[in-house]
Amino acid sequence: MKFVYLFFCLLQKDILVYCGCPFQNPFWFLDRPNVVTVSDAEGNLVPDRVRVSWGRVENFKCVDYFQIEYYQKSDMTGTVKYTGKINRHRRSHDIEILPCTEYMFKVIASEDWQGMREDFKMASDLVTFKVDYSPKFIRSPTVRERRLRLPRPGRNNQASYRGRHRRVPLLDEVGQTPTPPPPPEPELPYNVWVTWKLIDVDFPACLSHFEFDYYDIVYNESIHKETFAKPFSDRMEFELLNEKIPCGEDFAFIARVFGLTGEETRDVWTPPSCIVLTTEPPTTTTTPATTLSDEEGAMEAAREENEALKEKINGLKQEYGPIGKQVYAALKENIYLGLEGFLARKKIIEGGDISQLEKLDPNAPF
């Protein structure tokens, strides 16, 4: 029999593999497999992935490849899966799973008979593992404000206006003391409407419940809280009157998502009217100061220019004031003398004594 097997080995291409394990020498795992969680490059947990590793194998020279069989503990037949063939020199492999779900894992070592017969397989012990994870919102809840519609006046209210006199025209109020404007109407209440979907959470299987908390950050206490527990619907919502959750710097709108472990992740559900009060830009206090200083500098420069212009005008008045007075005096004297001569000539002409005119002005033509 041994000579027949040796002849069979010589006919194979891979002589070392098959002749190294004559008569299907057994192999088995010496260590239990191990399952751990996986982290990304930033050190954060990857909730839907695990790493399965295995150790020593007796008679390892007969192993050609490994495989991993895994399934959900609660549904073996419906969820069982196998990995592809894993290189015999590998000692670990990453598998995608659902977090917060208990899985069973086992590693299978196989000897490849290259289709001549079914591969010889040996499985490790079963191990159980579950990834604990606190889910979070991947899309924040939608928050809108719905104004309340006041009921329109009925027929009874309309009838009460029929007997009233219309307002007298404003022309009749001339000379009267003006009446002060009416006080502003009170702001109408509105409802804060919050809605979200189950698919807005990254892994709903890990959900325990939701909490929407209107929280007093000064006294560290909850003022109002809305809780949503299982069973969850695909779409959830609630409405609150704004008077019940008024805006204020001392209050926060916290949305908590609780996992099955009791740990939580947080988001916000701030109404649009409250966003201005809760988020202030860091440059708000510095920008107005810079703008005011520029305006003050421009005003100061204008004042200085105005003062310089006034001084220049005063200087011109002092310089040209005496000249103007002299010109005025000369004009006044010439006008007076001319008027006096005219009246004298008129009187002489009326008297008929022309010789007197020649005495006044011998060169004047008559």
Side-chain angles (χ1 to χ4, degrees):
M1 185 68 179
K2 291 184 179 179
F3 293 104
V4 174
Y5 184 78
L6 179 60
F7 177 74
F8 174 77
C9 288
L10 293 175
L11 295 177
Q12 307 299 320
K13 294 181 180 180
D14 198 352
I15 298 176
L16 294 177
V17 173
Y18 290 100
C19 294
C21 301
F23 307 109
Q24 208 171 35
N25 284 347
F27 50 86
W28 61 89
F29 288 90
L30 298 175
D31 303 313
R32 289 170 57 87
N34 185 37
V35 185
V36 296
T37 57
V38 179
S39 300
D40 59 16
E42 298 178 355
N44 299 318
L45 173 69
V46 180
D48 58 345
R49 187 177 300 174
V50 293
R51 180 165 297 160
V52 182
S53 59
W54 53 94
R56 298 171 300 162
V57 178
E58 181 67 24
N59 203 13
F60 173 70
K61 62 184 178 180
C62 296
V63 176
D64 293 316
Y65 64 89
F66 293 98
Q67 279 183 298
I68 301 174
E69 178 186 347
Y70 60 101
Y71 52 87
Q72 296 180 14
K73 188 176 181 179
S74 59
D75 183 13
M76 174 183 175
T77 57
T79 61
V80 63
K81 292 182 180 180
Y82 293 88
T83 65
K85 293 182 179 181
I86 304 171
N87 188 287
R88 66 190 298 267
H89 297 291
R90 293 284 302 272
R91 286 295 179 267
S92 67
H93 187 74
D94 290 356
I95 299 175
E96 291 188 357
I97 50 91
L98 292 176
C100 307
T101 305
E102 200 166 15
Y103 278 83
M104 303 294 292
F105 300 90
K106 65 179 177 182
V107 183
I108 301 173
S110 301
E111 184 180 2
D112 189 359
W113 283 80
Q114 297 187 350
M116 296 184 60
R117 54 157 292 175
E118 185 179 355
D119 294 348
F120 179 75
K121 301 176 183 293
M122 184 62 67
S124 68
D125 294 337
L126 278 169
V127 292
T128 305
F129 190 78
K130 180 178 69 172
V131 177
D132 293 324
Y133 176 70
S134 298
K136 62 183 178 181
F137 278 114
I138 54 177
R139 285 180 294 273
S140 299
T142 302
V143 185
R144 294 190 177 95
E145 295 173 351
R146 294 177 171 179
R147 298 290 173 180
L148 299 180
R149 294 183 178 180
L150 297 179
R152 295 182 178 179
R155 293 184 177 180
N156 295 333
N157 294 332
Q158 292 178 358
S160 62
Y161 286 94
R162 294 176 184 172
R164 292 188 179 181
H165 298 286
R166 293 187 177 182
R167 176 176 171 80
V168 180
L170 292 176
L171 293 176
D172 296 344
E173 296 182 356
V174 175
Q176 298 181 8
T177 304
T179 57
E185 295 183 1
E187 199 172 312
L188 296 178
Y190 57 87
N191 280 337
V192 177
W193 176 54
V194 184
T195 180
W196 71 100
K197 297 178 180 179
L198 197 60
I199 59 175
D200 294 338
V201 178
D202 54 357
F203 293 102
C206 300
L207 274 173
S208 171
H209 61 280
F210 296 95
E211 280 186 1
F212 290 82
D213 196 359
Y214 177 64
Y215 194 77
D216 189 333
I217 60 178
V218 176
Y219 293 97
N220 292 325
E221 61 181 0
S222 177
I223 306 301
H224 183 83
K225 187 182 295 183
E226 296 284 335
T227 304
F228 294 82
K230 292 181 179 181
F232 302 114
S233 58
D234 293 336
R235 185 174 181 273
M236 291 161 276
E237 64 180 358
F238 67 92
E239 273 188 286
L240 291 173
L241 192 64
N242 71 309
E243 296 175 351
K244 202 169 187 177
I245 49 171
C247 303
E249 296 180 355
D250 299 335
F251 300 97
F253 298 82
I254 305 172
R256 298 186 178 94
V257 183
F258 285 87
L260 298 174
T261 59
E263 297 181 356
E264 65 179 67
T265 58
R266 295 188 178 189
D267 208 318
V268 295
W269 59 287
T270 309
S273 298
C274 302
I275 291 178
V276 177
L277 296 178
T278 54
T279 56
E280 295 183 358
T283 58
T284 303
T285 56
T286 58
T287 303
T290 305
T291 305
L292 289 176
S293 63
D294 294 341
E295 293 178 357
E296 290 177 356
M299 291 296 293
E300 186 64 26
R303 290 194 195 97
E304 293 178 358
E305 186 177 356
N306 192 21
E307 293 295 332
L309 185 60
K310 286 182 179 180
E311 292 179 0
K312 188 174 182 180
I313 292 173
N314 291 332
L316 291 174
K317 286 181 178 180
Q318 294 177 3
E319 182 178 355
Y320 292 101
I323 298 175
K325 290 180 180 180
Q326 293 176 4
V327 172
Y328 172 73
L331 289 174
K332 183 177 70 172
E333 185 176 357
N334 290 336
I335 292 172
Y336 176 76
L337 294 175
L339 180 60
E340 187 178 17
F342 172 76
L343 294 175
R345 290 189 185 93
K346 183 179 179 183
K347 186 176 180 180
I348 292 171
I349 291 171
E350 290 176 353
D353 190 358
I354 302 300
S355 60
Q356 295 293 328
L357 290 175
E358 296 177 353
K359 293 179 180 181
L360 291 175
D361 188 2
N363 298 323
F366 298 100

